[in-house]
Amino acid sequence: MLGWRDGVRGSAAIVPTSFQPGDSAPQDRPPRNRAAATVDAAGNVVANEGVDALFGPVLTKEQKKAAAAAKKADRDAAKKDQGAATDSAKEVVRVKPAKTDLKRCKKLAADKRKAGDADALTDDELDFAGFLLEGEEA
């Protein structure tokens, strides 16, 4: 379209940032926009200066493993601290058993009595299951 030798017909033309609307098109296709290499104080060429700021530093395999291990240790320590806090503040809330729970506890006590344990009581089974006994309040 612009008369350039290379390029794909119908593709968008990429022009330099110095191009202003209304200017005439350049005679030749501009080179690909590559990051300008900068020179540090020692005279070394520093390429891709903006890439690090955009994507962050690239970590090695060992650095990634160390970071993952540190993250896991922090997570485990937090779980341990949370577990200790909930264990000390945890109170067992006993509730009145539903009919099905009461029937199950009665059946367990009856089975134990049939097996020869004469001291098996329904109240003991309810207490072991964490339910309120008859006459208790929450």
Side-chain angles (χ1 to χ4, degrees), residues 26-123:
Q27 293 297 326
D28 294 327
R29 181 177 178 205
R32 288 191 169 210
N33 188 12
R34 298 188 183 202
T38 57
V39 179
D40 63 2
N44 299 325
V45 176
V46 179
N48 298 332
E49 182 179 295
V51 174
D52 288 339
L54 183 62
F55 296 110
V58 178
L59 301 176
T60 63
K61 199 179 258 188
E62 291 81 17
Q63 289 172 331
K64 287 179 185 178
K65 284 183 180 180
K71 186 177 178 181
K72 184 177 182 197
D74 290 343
R75 187 173 52 240
D76 290 344
K79 277 186 181 179
K80 185 177 179 183
D81 291 344
Q82 182 183 11
T86 56
D87 287 345
S88 62
K90 192 183 220 182
E91 282 189 29
V92 177
V93 178
R94 297 167 56 116
V95 294
K96 184 177 177 182
K99 285 185 179 182
T100 56
D101 295 325
L102 185 60
K103 284 183 181 181
R104 183 176 46 84
C105 289
K106 283 183 180 180
K107 182 163 177 29
L108 284 172
D111 290 343
K112 284 184 180 180
R113 282 192 296 271
K114 283 183 184 178
D117 185 9
D119 296 334
L121 300 172
T122 305
D123 287 349

